[in-house]
């Protein structure tokens, strides 16, 4: 299951924050260790990747794709069909538990990698990408 850890002290402060992905439920769009730029309180629509409180364990934040609105909530799925921990397990997520939309992902530099100009330029080109609302587009943008 992917989860997110927002920056401390987010509260009612700035509309943007950083979260970190742990787990594999959003592979290939998001990988374990990715940093996310989250727009808290953003307008949401089907296809968006969002940070939300787990409906059965509300102190746990998770990252899922919003599939469709159902009643006052969202049906959410991970992009990895083999991973568990989405609406197939816990049902519709109430709208008030959806905290924000993921706008971009950032892949940190791999520790111990060579820091030549070519490697740094390649990393700059591939490390920061918007997170698309279209699952196949996010897959094409995946850094290798």
């Amino acid at each position: 299951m992917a989860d997110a850890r927002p920056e401390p002290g987010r509260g009612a402060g700035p509309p943007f924050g950083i979260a970190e992905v742990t787990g594999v439920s959003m592979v290939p769009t998001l990988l374990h260790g990715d940093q996310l730029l989250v727009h808290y309180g953003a307008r949401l629509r089907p296809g968006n990747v969002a940070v939300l409180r787990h409906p059965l364990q509300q102190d746990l934040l998770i990252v899922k794709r919003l599939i469709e609105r159902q009643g006052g909530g969202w049906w959410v799925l991970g992009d990895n069909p083999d991973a568990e921990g989405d609406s197939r397990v816990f049902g519709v997520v109430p709208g008030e538990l959806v905290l924000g939309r993921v706008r971009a992902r950032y892949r940190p530099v791999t520790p111990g990698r060579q820091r030549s100009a070519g490697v740094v330029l390649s990393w700059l080109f591939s490390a920061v990408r918007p997170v698309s609302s279209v699952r196949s587009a996010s897959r094409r943008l995946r850094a290798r």
Side-chain angles (χ1 to χ4, degrees):
M1 177 182 308
D3 81 335
R5 295 187 187 104
E7 287 186 325
R10 182 182 81 67
F16 290 94
I18 303 295
E20 179 178 351
V21 175
T22 60
V24 297
S25 73
M26 288 300 293
V27 169
T29 306
L30 303 173
L31 302 179
H32 178 81
D34 282 353
Q35 303 290 313
L36 306 175
L37 176 63
V38 182
H39 185 180
Y40 293 102
R43 186 167 176 231
L44 302 169
R45 59 188 177 130
N48 290 156
V49 175
V51 172
L52 51 131
R53 292 193 184 281
H54 193 290
L56 304 178
Q57 186 181 349
Q58 293 184 15
D59 60 337
L60 175 65
L61 299 181
I62 59 176
V63 180
K64 301 293 176 204
R65 188 170 301 276
L66 304 175
I67 302 302
E68 67 179 2
R69 288 203 59 89
Q70 292 187 0
W74 286 94
W75 186 263
V76 300
L77 295 175
D79 284 358
N80 181 350
D82 296 326
E84 294 182 358
D86 54 28
S87 288
R88 295 172 293 178
V89 173
F90 49 71
V92 174
V93 177
E96 64 270 11
L97 297 182
V98 181
L99 303 177
R101 178 179 172 189
V102 175
R103 295 290 186 172
R105 65 104 175 118
Y106 162 87
R107 297 218 167 114
V109 174
T110 305
R113 278 195 70 183
Q114 179 184 6
R115 300 291 197 281
S116 70
V119 168
V120 171
L121 286 173
S122 174
W123 172 80
L124 284 172
F125 180 72
S126 67
V128 178
R129 292 281 193 224
V131 175
S132 174
S133 294
V134 179
R135 191 179 297 186
S136 62
S138 291
R139 194 166 290 149
R140 285 193 310 269
L141 294 174
R142 192 177 108 197
R144 301 200 187 275

mmCIF file of all heavy atoms in Angstrom, residues 115-141:
data_model
loop_
_atom_site.group_PDB
_atom_site.id
_atom_site.type_symbol
_atom_site.label_atom_id
_atom_site.label_comp_id
_atom_site.label_asym_id
_atom_site.label_seq_id
_atom_site.Cartn_x
_atom_site.Cartn_y
_atom_site.Cartn_z
ATOM 1 N N ARG A 115 28.125 11.549 -10.137
ATOM 2 C CA ARG A 115 27.530 12.877 -10.286
ATOM 3 C C ARG A 115 28.114 13.636 -11.485
ATOM 4 O O ARG A 115 28.337 14.830 -11.414
ATOM 5 C CB ARG A 115 27.746 13.722 -9.022
ATOM 6 C CG ARG A 115 27.162 13.153 -7.752
ATOM 7 C CD ARG A 115 25.642 13.177 -7.789
ATOM 8 N NE ARG A 115 25.005 13.014 -6.510
ATOM 9 C CZ ARG A 115 24.822 11.883 -5.874
ATOM 10 N NH1 ARG A 115 25.272 10.779 -6.372
ATOM 11 N NH2 ARG A 115 24.192 11.851 -4.725
ATOM 12 N N SER A 116 28.371 12.950 -12.597
ATOM 13 C CA SER A 116 28.895 13.622 -13.787
ATOM 14 C C SER A 116 27.825 14.555 -14.345
ATOM 15 O O SER A 116 26.638 14.437 -14.037
ATOM 16 C CB SER A 116 29.296 12.602 -14.851
ATOM 17 O OG SER A 116 28.146 11.993 -15.394
ATOM 18 N N ALA A 117 28.243 15.490 -15.199
ATOM 19 C CA ALA A 117 27.304 16.452 -15.792
ATOM 20 C C ALA A 117 26.199 15.729 -16.556
ATOM 21 O O ALA A 117 25.030 16.103 -16.470
ATOM 22 C CB ALA A 117 28.051 17.415 -16.705
ATOM 23 N N GLY A 118 26.532 14.680 -17.301
ATOM 24 C CA GLY A 118 25.532 13.928 -18.062
ATOM 25 C C GLY A 118 24.514 13.252 -17.169
ATOM 26 O O GLY A 118 23.316 13.262 -17.453
ATOM 27 N N VAL A 119 24.990 12.660 -16.069
ATOM 28 C CA VAL A 119 24.087 11.987 -15.134
ATOM 29 C C VAL A 119 23.159 13.004 -14.477
ATOM 30 O O VAL A 119 21.956 12.788 -14.352
ATOM 31 C CB VAL A 119 24.885 11.194 -14.068
ATOM 32 C CG1 VAL A 119 23.991 10.738 -12.930
ATOM 33 C CG2 VAL A 119 25.587 10.010 -14.706
ATOM 34 N N VAL A 120 23.711 14.146 -14.077
ATOM 35 C CA VAL A 120 22.896 15.173 -13.432
ATOM 36 C C VAL A 120 21.852 15.721 -14.407
ATOM 37 O O VAL A 120 20.686 15.891 -14.057
ATOM 38 C CB VAL A 120 23.787 16.310 -12.872
ATOM 39 C CG1 VAL A 120 22.932 17.493 -12.404
ATOM 40 C CG2 VAL A 120 24.639 15.783 -11.718
ATOM 41 N N LEU A 121 22.246 15.981 -15.655
ATOM 42 C CA LEU A 121 21.284 16.471 -16.648
ATOM 43 C C LEU A 121 20.192 15.445 -16.916
ATOM 44 O O LEU A 121 19.015 15.790 -17.020
ATOM 45 C CB LEU A 121 21.989 16.843 -17.954
ATOM 46 C CG LEU A 121 22.784 18.146 -17.912
ATOM 47 C CD1 LEU A 121 23.566 18.325 -19.203
ATOM 48 C CD2 LEU A 121 21.862 19.327 -17.682
ATOM 49 N N SER A 122 20.571 14.188 -17.021
ATOM 50 C CA SER A 122 19.593 13.123 -17.236
ATOM 51 C C SER A 122 18.614 13.058 -16.061
ATOM 52 O O SER A 122 17.406 12.926 -16.242
ATOM 53 C CB SER A 122 20.304 11.795 -17.414
ATOM 54 O OG SER A 122 19.380 10.747 -17.479
ATOM 55 N N TRP A 123 19.154 13.152 -14.841
ATOM 56 C CA TRP A 123 18.303 13.128 -13.649
ATOM 57 C C TRP A 123 17.354 14.324 -13.645
ATOM 58 O O TRP A 123 16.165 14.182 -13.374
ATOM 59 C CB TRP A 123 19.167 13.120 -12.391
ATOM 60 C CG TRP A 123 18.354 13.289 -11.155
ATOM 61 C CD1 TRP A 123 17.639 12.341 -10.497
ATOM 62 C CD2 TRP A 123 18.139 14.508 -10.442
ATOM 63 N NE1 TRP A 123 16.989 12.885 -9.418
ATOM 64 C CE2 TRP A 123 17.287 14.213 -9.359
ATOM 65 C CE3 TRP A 123 18.592 15.812 -10.612
ATOM 66 C CZ2 TRP A 123 16.882 15.181 -8.460
ATOM 67 C CZ3 TRP A 123 18.190 16.775 -9.706
ATOM 68 C CH2 TRP A 123 17.341 16.452 -8.648
ATOM 69 N N LEU A 124 17.871 15.533 -13.953
ATOM 70 C CA LEU A 124 17.016 16.718 -13.977
ATOM 71 C C LEU A 124 15.868 16.565 -14.966
ATOM 72 O O LEU A 124 14.742 16.971 -14.704
ATOM 73 C CB LEU A 124 17.835 17.966 -14.336
ATOM 74 C CG LEU A 124 18.702 18.531 -13.221
ATOM 75 C CD1 LEU A 124 19.606 19.635 -13.769
ATOM 76 C CD2 LEU A 124 17.853 19.045 -12.079
ATOM 77 N N PHE A 125 16.146 15.947 -16.102
ATOM 78 C CA PHE A 125 15.123 15.775 -17.126
ATOM 79 C C PHE A 125 14.050 14.779 -16.706
ATOM 80 O O PHE A 125 12.889 14.923 -17.051
ATOM 81 C CB PHE A 125 15.766 15.318 -18.441
ATOM 82 C CG PHE A 125 14.780 15.116 -19.543
ATOM 83 C CD1 PHE A 125 14.155 16.191 -20.159
ATOM 84 C CD2 PHE A 125 14.441 13.835 -19.955
ATOM 85 C CE1 PHE A 125 13.224 15.996 -21.164
ATOM 86 C CE2 PHE A 125 13.509 13.632 -20.967
ATOM 87 C CZ PHE A 125 12.906 14.718 -21.569
ATOM 88 N N SER A 126 14.447 13.761 -15.931
ATOM 89 C CA SER A 126 13.497 12.687 -15.622
ATOM 90 C C SER A 126 12.968 12.688 -14.196
ATOM 91 O O SER A 126 11.980 12.018 -13.916
ATOM 92 C CB SER A 126 14.142 11.329 -15.900
ATOM 93 O OG SER A 126 15.198 11.095 -14.979
ATOM 94 N N ALA A 127 13.562 13.417 -13.273
ATOM 95 C CA ALA A 127 13.211 13.301 -11.855
ATOM 96 C C ALA A 127 11.903 13.978 -11.488
ATOM 97 O O ALA A 127 11.172 13.491 -10.640
ATOM 98 C CB ALA A 127 14.336 13.858 -10.989
ATOM 99 N N VAL A 128 11.606 15.104 -12.105
ATOM 100 C CA VAL A 128 10.404 15.842 -11.742
ATOM 101 C C VAL A 128 9.422 15.770 -12.901
ATOM 102 O O VAL A 128 9.745 16.150 -14.020
ATOM 103 C CB VAL A 128 10.729 17.310 -11.407
ATOM 104 C CG1 VAL A 128 9.452 18.069 -11.073
ATOM 105 C CG2 VAL A 128 11.722 17.390 -10.270
ATOM 106 N N ARG A 129 8.227 15.255 -12.634
ATOM 107 C CA ARG A 129 7.195 15.114 -13.663
ATOM 108 C C ARG A 129 5.835 15.417 -13.069
ATOM 109 O O ARG A 129 5.565 15.099 -11.916
ATOM 110 C CB ARG A 129 7.142 13.670 -14.184
ATOM 111 C CG ARG A 129 8.332 13.248 -14.970
ATOM 112 C CD ARG A 129 8.232 13.799 -16.374
ATOM 113 N NE ARG A 129 9.206 13.136 -17.207
ATOM 114 C CZ ARG A 129 9.961 13.767 -18.069
ATOM 115 N NH1 ARG A 129 9.859 15.047 -18.221
ATOM 116 N NH2 ARG A 129 10.821 13.120 -18.803
ATOM 117 N N PRO A 130 4.959 15.988 -13.869
ATOM 118 C CA PRO A 130 3.574 16.124 -13.404
ATOM 119 C C PRO A 130 2.947 14.738 -13.295
ATOM 120 O O PRO A 130 3.351 13.808 -13.991
ATOM 121 C CB PRO A 130 2.901 16.938 -14.510
ATOM 122 C CG PRO A 130 3.757 16.749 -15.713
ATOM 123 C CD PRO A 130 5.148 16.486 -15.223
ATOM 124 N N VAL A 131 1.994 14.599 -12.407
ATOM 125 C CA VAL A 131 1.268 13.335 -12.280
ATOM 126 C C VAL A 131 -0.036 13.519 -13.033
ATOM 127 O O VAL A 131 -0.890 14.310 -12.647
ATOM 128 C CB VAL A 131 1.025 12.958 -10.811
ATOM 129 C CG1 VAL A 131 0.172 11.701 -10.719
ATOM 130 C CG2 VAL A 131 2.362 12.746 -10.114
ATOM 131 N N SER A 132 -0.178 12.798 -14.124
ATOM 132 C CA SER A 132 -1.312 12.953 -15.032
ATOM 133 C C SER A 132 -2.572 12.309 -14.490
ATOM 134 O O SER A 132 -2.533 11.353 -13.715
ATOM 135 C CB SER A 132 -0.955 12.336 -16.380
ATOM 136 O OG SER A 132 -2.058 12.349 -17.244
ATOM 137 N N SER A 133 -3.692 12.818 -14.954
ATOM 138 C CA SER A 133 -4.985 12.216 -14.621
ATOM 139 C C SER A 133 -5.289 11.017 -15.498
ATOM 140 O O SER A 133 -6.227 10.293 -15.255
ATOM 141 C CB SER A 133 -6.108 13.246 -14.787
ATOM 142 O OG SER A 133 -5.954 14.257 -13.833
ATOM 143 N N VAL A 134 -4.478 10.807 -16.525
ATOM 144 C CA VAL A 134 -4.657 9.679 -17.428
ATOM 145 C C VAL A 134 -3.610 8.633 -17.060
ATOM 146 O O VAL A 134 -2.421 8.906 -17.121
ATOM 147 C CB VAL A 134 -4.490 10.111 -18.904
ATOM 148 C CG1 VAL A 134 -4.648 8.931 -19.826
ATOM 149 C CG2 VAL A 134 -5.470 11.208 -19.233
ATOM 150 N N ARG A 135 -4.058 7.467 -16.668
ATOM 151 C CA ARG A 135 -3.151 6.424 -16.187
ATOM 152 C C ARG A 135 -2.069 6.095 -17.203
ATOM 153 O O ARG A 135 -0.911 5.990 -16.870
ATOM 154 C CB ARG A 135 -3.949 5.178 -15.837
ATOM 155 C CG ARG A 135 -3.145 4.159 -15.105
ATOM 156 C CD ARG A 135 -3.954 2.960 -14.744
ATOM 157 N NE ARG A 135 -5.027 3.325 -13.821
ATOM 158 C CZ ARG A 135 -5.814 2.453 -13.248
ATOM 159 N NH1 ARG A 135 -5.679 1.195 -13.497
ATOM 160 N NH2 ARG A 135 -6.761 2.834 -12.431
ATOM 161 N N SER A 136 -2.401 5.962 -18.487
ATOM 162 C CA SER A 136 -1.405 5.588 -19.489
ATOM 163 C C SER A 136 -0.384 6.703 -19.699
ATOM 164 O O SER A 136 0.776 6.437 -19.959
ATOM 165 C CB SER A 136 -2.072 5.234 -20.814
ATOM 166 O OG SER A 136 -2.768 6.344 -21.325
ATOM 167 N N ALA A 137 -0.783 7.967 -19.577
ATOM 168 C CA ALA A 137 0.161 9.076 -19.734
ATOM 169 C C ALA A 137 1.155 9.076 -18.583
ATOM 170 O O ALA A 137 2.346 9.296 -18.792
ATOM 171 C CB ALA A 137 -0.571 10.410 -19.801
ATOM 172 N N SER A 138 0.701 8.822 -17.353
ATOM 173 C CA SER A 138 1.610 8.758 -16.217
ATOM 174 C C SER A 138 2.614 7.637 -16.410
ATOM 175 O O SER A 138 3.772 7.751 -16.066
ATOM 176 C CB SER A 138 0.839 8.516 -14.916
ATOM 177 O OG SER A 138 0.082 9.640 -14.576
ATOM 178 N N ARG A 139 2.179 6.541 -16.974
ATOM 179 C CA ARG A 139 3.069 5.408 -17.209
ATOM 180 C C ARG A 139 4.173 5.794 -18.198
ATOM 181 O O ARG A 139 5.310 5.440 -18.027
ATOM 182 C CB ARG A 139 2.243 4.238 -17.741
ATOM 183 C CG ARG A 139 2.969 2.932 -17.696
ATOM 184 C CD ARG A 139 2.029 1.773 -17.912
ATOM 185 N NE ARG A 139 1.169 1.629 -16.750
ATOM 186 C CZ ARG A 139 -0.065 1.172 -16.795
ATOM 187 N NH1 ARG A 139 -0.600 0.810 -17.929
ATOM 188 N NH2 ARG A 139 -0.779 1.061 -15.708
ATOM 189 N N ARG A 140 3.820 6.555 -19.238
ATOM 190 C CA ARG A 140 4.829 6.969 -20.219
ATOM 191 C C ARG A 140 5.846 7.924 -19.616
ATOM 192 O O ARG A 140 6.960 8.005 -20.076
ATOM 193 C CB ARG A 140 4.142 7.634 -21.420
ATOM 194 C CG ARG A 140 3.451 6.668 -22.329
ATOM 195 C CD ARG A 140 3.085 7.318 -23.632
ATOM 196 N NE ARG A 140 2.380 8.585 -23.481
ATOM 197 C CZ ARG A 140 1.065 8.714 -23.418
ATOM 198 N NH1 ARG A 140 0.292 7.660 -23.478
ATOM 199 N NH2 ARG A 140 0.508 9.895 -23.292
ATOM 200 N N LEU A 141 5.459 8.694 -18.588
ATOM 201 C CA LEU A 141 6.341 9.676 -17.994
ATOM 202 C C LEU A 141 7.256 9.094 -16.923
ATOM 203 O O LEU A 141 8.041 9.792 -16.339
ATOM 204 C CB LEU A 141 5.527 10.817 -17.388
ATOM 205 C CG LEU A 141 4.753 11.663 -18.380
ATOM 206 C CD1 LEU A 141 3.879 12.658 -17.640
ATOM 207 C CD2 LEU A 141 5.697 12.392 -19.309
#
